[in-house]
Amino acid sequence: MDSTFWRRPTLSLLALAICVTAAPSRRDNSVTIGDSTYQSGGLVAFGLIPSDFIESTGDTLGGIGSATTLKPGSWKALDNGTFTGTLVVEPDRGYNVVETIDYQARQHYIDFWLTPYTDSSKLSFEDAQLTLVLSYSHTVLLNERDGKKTTGLDSGSHRNATGGDPVLPTPTSTDRLSLDVEGIVANEDGSFWISDEYGPYIYHFSAEGALISTIAPPDAIIPKSKSGDYDFTSVEDPDTGRASNQGFEGLTIDNENHVLYAMLQTATVQDGGDQKETSRYTRLLGWDISDVSNAVLVGEWVVPLPQSKKGKTRGSNEIAFLRDGIFLSLTRDGNGRGDEDLQASYKQVDLFDISAATDIHGTKYDDPEHSLRKGGDGDLDDGVEPAQYYSFVDMLDEDGLARFGLQNSDDQDDKTHINAKFEGLVLAPTGKGDQYFLFVVSDNDFQTTQGISLGQPFDAGIDVDNQFLVYTVTLPGLTGQIV
Ligand SMILES: *[C@@H]1O[C@H](CO)[C@@H](O)[C@H](O)[C@H]1NC(C)=O
Ligand SMILES: *[C@@H]1O[C@H](CO)[C@@H](O)[C@H](O)[C@H]1NC(C)=O
C-alpha cells in the first residue's frame, strides 16, 4: 500500500516552485523584546493525513499532533527548493470519546517533503496539499522496563514508589502505567522525553520504547486530595495540583544548557485552575538534565495566559524554547473542525519571556497549601512577578488560510475548515539568516467515520483529518536547538 497521504495533483511541483516569488502583503506581526524583533511571515505550506489512515499495528493513526518533534539529523534542504525530514509524533491515549481505553502509548515516524509557497494567488485545497507531502514510516510501542505495556486507561489508582520511580499513576484494574502523552523531545542518541497529563510527569524512554526514568514535579503540581493522597484521575479535579486534563501539554529543551522545560496547560487547582475564569496563571518548570539519570529542578515561573472577552483562559498546548528566557507558546480556543462550535476566535503561536519573572522553585509555592494568588483566585502574591506574554503568529489570518484553500467560517463544516485542536510545534531553519519554518500540527482526537481502535471498528460521526500548517518566522539569536 502506498503510505503517502496526498492524492495525485493537478499542478506539478515544478510549477509550484516557479510560483515562489516575492512575499505577498499579509497581516505581518512583529514583536520586539529587548534588542530583538521577532517577525511572523505567514503561512507557507499545508498538508494533511486523512482521518482514516491505519498505522502498522492496525489502529487508526489518530491524534498525532499531541506531541510532535523533528527527528534529530533528519532535516535537509534539497537543491530544488524542497526541504525534507522526519517528524516524531505521539498521539495521546487513543479513541476515548466514550471512555478511556487500554491504548498502549506509541511513537510514529512520519517523513515529509516541504515546498514552501509564498505567492499571493490562491491554491485549491487539493493543490495546497502539495506544499507539505507526508508519508507514514513506522511505529514504536512504549513499554516499562520489564516489558509491561503502558495503557491509556484512566488513572483511578497509583503504584507505590519503587526502583527509583516515584508513585506512578495506574488504572484501578491493573498496575500498568497510565499515560496520556502531550509533549515530546527527541535526543540525538535516539532516546526521548515525553510529558503527560496524568502525573503530570516527564518520562525518559529508550529509542526502542522502553522506560528509563521518570521526573516528578514538586508536590504543588501533583494531583492530591485534601488528605494528601494521590488523585491521578482525569475524570474530575483533585483538591490541589494540576487540574484534570490540564497537565504537561508543553515540553521543550535548551540543548546548550541541558535544561528540559515543561509547562502546565493552565493553572494548578490551588492557583485557580478549577475554573476557566481563574485558570490563567500557569507554571513553567525547568530541570537540569546534564546527568540524565538525576534531573534537578532549577527553575519555576508563572506564565499569564491570555483570556477571551468573556474572561475564559486560553490554554497553552505546546511550548518551544528559543533562547535565554524566551519561548513560543501554542495557545488557543477549542473551536473549529471537530468541535461543536465551528468558528474559532483564537489560535496563535505567541511569545513569552521569563527573564524578569520570579523564580519560585524551592519556595513555599512548591507546597500545595500555598496558592500563588491572594485568596486562591485574586491577584498574584506580592513578590511574584509573572512572565511577559506577547501575541505573535495568528493562525486564523483569513487571507493566509484562503491561499491554501482553508477557511474559518461559521457555516462551512467540511475538510477545508481549520481544525479545532492544534497541539504540536516544530522549528526548522530555512537557511536564510534568522528565518525558521514553524510547523503547527493538529490532534484530531481520532475522529473518523472509518476508525479502528484496539482491533474494533468505530465511527466517530465525522472525519477530521490531521492538519499541518507551516509558517515562516524570524527568530533572532536562537540557541540550544538541534536540527
Ligand atoms: C525536489 O526533489 C525531491 C526529491 O527528488 C522531490 O521529492 C521534490 O518533489 C522536488 N521538489 C520540486 C519543487 O520539484
Ligand atoms: C503502598 O504503600 C502504602 C503506604 O506506605 C502501604 O500501606 C501499602 O501496603 C503499599 N502497597 C503495596 C502494594 O506495596
Side-chain angles (χ1 to χ4, degrees):
M1 191 183 79
D2 182 3
S3 63
T4 301
F5 303 118
W6 53 283
R7 291 149 207 88
R8 194 133 290 284
T10 55
L11 184 69
S12 79
L13 278 176
L14 188 63
L16 262 185
I18 290 165
C19 284
V20 175
T21 55
S25 67
R26 63 173 75 90
R27 200 149 48 125
D28 286 3
N29 192 13
S30 72
V31 173
T32 300
I33 305 175
D35 299 336
S36 301
T37 299
Y38 300 81
Q39 226 154 353
S40 159
L43 193 58
V44 296
F46 167 71
L48 63 75
I49 298 178
S51 63
D52 60 358
F53 188 84
I54 305 291
E55 37 94 335
S56 63
T57 75
D59 281 337
T60 297
L61 184 78
I64 57 166
S66 288
T68 314
T69 192
L70 196 61
K71 183 180 171 197
S74 69
W75 177 255
K76 207 163 100 188
L78 303 178
D79 53 19
N80 61 2
T82 295
F83 297 80
T84 184
T86 302
L87 295 172
V88 191
V89 303
E90 296 214 3
D92 45 14
R93 48 179 179 168
Y95 179 64
N96 63 74
V97 168
V98 184
E99 55 185 353
T100 59
I101 60 165
D102 189 3
Y103 180 85
Q104 188 176 4
R106 62 200 65 182
Q107 183 166 76
H108 305 298
Y109 289 77
I110 310 233
D111 300 326
F112 65 85
W113 291 266
L114 165 67
T115 308
Y117 175 78
T118 56
D119 196 74
S120 56
S121 61
K122 290 177 185 165
L123 295 174
S124 69
F125 180 64
E126 282 70 34
D127 287 340
Q129 292 168 48
L130 292 176
T131 57
L132 183 67
V133 173
L134 297 147
S135 176
Y136 169 76
S137 168
H138 63 284
T139 295
V140 174
L141 293 161
L142 306 195
N143 297 290
E144 293 196 59
R145 290 178 204 90
D146 56 5
K148 221 188 286 179
K149 297 175 182 174
T150 69
T151 180
L153 284 168
D154 184 60
S155 170
S157 186
H158 61 268
R159 205 161 82 191
N160 285 351
T162 164
D165 287 324
V167 169
L168 290 176
T170 66
T172 46
S173 53
T174 121
D175 72 345
R176 285 157 51 203
L177 173 63
S178 294
L179 282 182
D180 183 1
V181 180
E182 297 293 353
I184 183 168
V185 161
N187 301 315
E188 281 181 300
D189 66 2
S191 72
F192 54 95
W193 301 92
I194 53 170
S195 61
D196 108 308
E197 300 224 81
Y198 283 125
Y201 289 150
I202 300 166
Y203 299 94
H204 189 201
F205 276 90
S206 70
E208 294 72 36
L211 180 63
I212 301 169
S213 61
T214 306
I215 302 177
D219 270 1
I221 311 277
I222 294 176
K224 291 193 170 183
S225 66
K226 280 209 175 66
S227 55
D229 291 337
Y230 291 87
D231 188 11
F232 290 116
T233 183
S234 63
V235 177
E236 54 188 12
D237 282 343
D239 292 326
T240 60
R242 65 102 182 99
S244 67
N245 296 310
Q246 304 289 308
F248 283 145
E249 283 275 347
L251 186 71
T252 187
I253 193 166
D254 168 0
N255 275 303
E256 193 173 62
N257 296 300
H258 311 288
V259 179
L260 191 61
Y261 292 95
M263 192 161 93
L264 291 175
Q265 185 166 8
T266 57
T268 64
V269 173
Q270 69 270 23
D271 297 337
D274 52 347
Q275 305 278 345
K276 282 194 158 176
E277 289 75 12
T278 54
S279 63
R280 65 180 303 223
Y281 289 116
T282 194
R283 302 194 194 198
L284 171 79
L285 295 98
W287 285 269
D288 184 328
I289 51 157
S290 307
D291 174 0
V292 283
S293 59
N294 182 30
V296 179
L297 183 68
V298 290
E300 184 177 350
W301 304 268
V302 179
V303 178
L305 295 168
Q307 293 183 300
S308 70
K309 284 194 199 91
K310 290 183 179 155
K312 299 225 161 93
T313 301
R314 319 283 200 191
S316 173
N317 288 271
E318 192 52 87
I319 56 172
F321 173 80
L322 299 184
R323 54 183 283 192
D324 47 342
I326 306 204
F327 296 78
L328 293 175
S329 169
L330 169 51
T331 305
R332 59 161 176 83
D333 59 18
N335 307 336
R337 173 85 170 163
D339 185 66
E340 281 167 25
D341 199 343
L342 196 57
Q343 193 162 31
S345 47
Y346 194 101
K347 295 207 192 303
Q348 297 203 172
V349 183
D350 294 330
L351 284 157
F352 68 87
D353 176 10
I354 61 168
S355 26
T358 312
D359 177 3
I360 59 167
H361 94 278
T363 68
K364 66 177 182 182
Y365 302 114
D366 278 344
D367 175 345
E369 297 270 303
H370 297 276
S371 174
L372 287 164
R373 305 177 70 169
K374 293 174 181 163
D377 57 7
D379 292 342
L380 281 175
D381 268 358
D382 297 334
V384 178
E385 194 58 46
Q388 290 291 320
Y389 194 94
Y390 304 88
S391 178
F392 187 38
V393 179
D394 180 7
M395 297 171 63
L396 299 179
D397 173 34
E398 259 179 61
D399 297 343
L401 291 174
R403 287 173 47 245
F404 292 83
L406 295 163
Q407 45 89 22
N408 176 37
S409 74
D410 59 359
D411 57 1
Q412 196 185 339
D413 193 2
D414 60 29
K415 293 180 172 200
T416 66
H417 199 286
I418 187 168
N419 280 358
K421 296 176 74 177
F422 284 81
E423 303 201 349
L425 287 181
V426 171
L427 284 172
T430 65
K432 290 182 200 151
D434 291 329
Q435 193 190 54
Y436 292 80
F437 291 114
L438 173 65
F439 292 63
V440 189
V441 186
S442 77
D443 165 8
N444 71 349
D445 279 342
F446 292 77
Q447 292 185 93
T448 173
T449 57
Q450 308 284 320
I452 300 184
S453 170
L454 313 182
Q456 299 298 313
F458 70 87
D459 177 354
I462 184 173
D463 289 309
V464 182
D465 298 327
N466 270 303
Q467 297 176 345
F468 294 65
L469 301 175
V470 185
Y471 300 82
T472 52
V473 282
T474 302
L475 306 170
L478 260 56
T479 57
Q481 279 75 28
I482 291 182
V483 176

